[in-house]
């Protein structure tokens, strides 16, 4: 696994604030799955939420998350750069700290239809 320097953490905290702590907690608890379709290699992330219900949200780290916060804080209010699930997926991808799940392209398509 790749290490993150104090300077990098400081920059990330400046950019993402409270979402950084929440996202790192999700990553530390192995709450990020990368679901990859085979043979295409297309993928989506599934990220665990923080509530007691432990719901899981599908997200594309750069563009979309199925959580409420994405629509409320990012799309409607424009207050955040991304939600904690997107940030957790980005951090996990950069650090290689995700659970790698391989499925058929057909199975991946069925997951995407539900979005």
């Amino acid at each position: 696994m790749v290490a993150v320097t104090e300077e990098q953490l400081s920059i990330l905290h400046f950019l993402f604030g409270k979402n950084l702590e929440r996202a790192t907690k999700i990553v530390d608890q192995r709450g990020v799955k990368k679901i990859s379709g085979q043979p295409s290699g297309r993928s989506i992330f599934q990220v665990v939420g923080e509530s007691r219900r432990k719901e899981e949200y599908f997200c594309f780290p750069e563009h979309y998350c199925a959580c409420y916060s994405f629509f409320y804080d990012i799309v409607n209010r424009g207050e955040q750069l991304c939600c904690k699930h997107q940030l957790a997926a980005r951090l996990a991808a950069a650090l290689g700290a995700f659970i790698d799940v391989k499925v058929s392209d057909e199975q991946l398509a069925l997951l995407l239809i539900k979005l």
Side-chain angles (χ1 to χ4, degrees), residues 25-96:
K25 183 178 177 184
I26 292 169
V27 173
D28 286 344
Q29 294 175 347
R30 306 275 295 150
V32 179
K33 294 178 191 169
K34 180 180 180 184
I35 302 172
S36 301
Q38 302 299 310
S40 72
R42 292 183 180 108
S43 63
I44 188 168
F45 285 85
Q46 187 174 25
V47 182
V48 174
E50 284 185 299
S51 76
R52 288 190 193 108
R53 293 188 306 273
K54 294 292 182 199
E55 59 275 289
E56 294 182 307
Y57 300 102
F58 288 110
C59 72
F60 295 100
E62 306 286 334
H63 306 292
Y64 170 82
C65 183
C67 75
Y68 176 80
S69 177
F70 178 79
F71 289 101
Y72 188 72
D73 293 330
I74 291 117
V75 175
N76 288 343
R77 295 169 56 190
E79 290 185 353
Q80 301 285 329
L81 295 173
C82 64
C83 71
K84 65 187 169 203
H85 310 108
Q86 290 174 289
L87 185 54
R90 290 166 103 169
L91 290 171
L95 298 171

Side-chain angles (χ1 to χ4, degrees), residues 13 17 20 50:
H13 192 270
L20 177 65
E50 284 185 299

